[in-house]
Amino acid sequence: LQLGFLSTYLSDPIVKAFTSGTAFHVTISQLNTMLGLRLPRFTGPFTLFKTLASLLGALSMTNIVELIISLICLGVLIPMKEINSRFRQKFRTPIPIEIIMLIVATAVTFATSLDKRCNVQIV
């Protein structure tokens, strides 16, 4: 279904609320991966709350190495996205920092055998 045209008929606060809700949902669903937790996937109503409760219950089993890798990647990605947007006119094409970080993080994890030594999942 291509219903994107309906957004022109919705008020700005409603569109912002949907966008914020979606961002919150994506953040909660990615936290278990960032923390190195292997949690079950939930379906049905209140999935977000079930995931959050499961996440909070398993917080003590956080893989610190995966958390550090995630924070380093975020520490590089967020400023680089800002640099890309500020120098949009000067750069011919934006720096593909997402791909670069993916390659670098995977290479470092593989080269240092973090997958075997610290149970870091390479995806």
Side-chain angles (χ1 to χ4, degrees):
L1 296 171
Q2 296 193 1
L3 301 174
F5 71 93
L6 288 177
S7 66
T8 58
Y9 300 109
L10 299 174
S11 68
D12 196 40
I14 290 176
V15 173
K16 286 183 180 180
F18 278 125
T19 304
S20 297
T22 302
F24 184 71
H25 182 71
V26 169
T27 302
I28 295 299
S29 66
Q30 292 299 313
L31 276 177
N32 63 345
T33 307
M34 285 182 64
L35 297 174
L37 301 173
R38 310 296 180 254
L39 300 176
R41 293 223 182 243
F42 297 101
T43 59
F46 302 109
T47 301
L48 186 67
F49 299 110
K50 292 176 186 175
T51 303
L52 193 56
S54 176
L55 182 78
L56 291 174
L59 209 52
S60 62
M61 297 182 298
T62 298
N63 186 336
I64 300 299
V65 177
E66 284 195 36
L67 177 61
I68 291 170
I69 292 170
S70 298
L71 292 176
I72 290 171
C73 288
L74 282 175
V76 171
L77 288 170
I78 293 171
M80 285 303 294
K81 294 295 269 184
E82 183 65 29
I83 289 170
N84 275 340
S85 67
R86 283 193 184 182
F87 297 105
R88 184 178 13 212
Q89 286 76 19
K90 294 186 182 190
F91 293 152
R92 251 187 160 159
T93 180
I95 299 169
I97 193 63
E98 296 88 357
I99 298 291
I100 293 169
M101 283 305 299
L102 178 72
I103 292 168
V104 168
T106 303
V108 167
T109 302
F110 184 75
T112 57
S113 299
L114 288 177
D115 56 331
K116 294 178 183 82
R117 292 188 304 149
C118 300
N119 198 24
V120 173
Q121 186 178 12
I122 298 178
V123 291

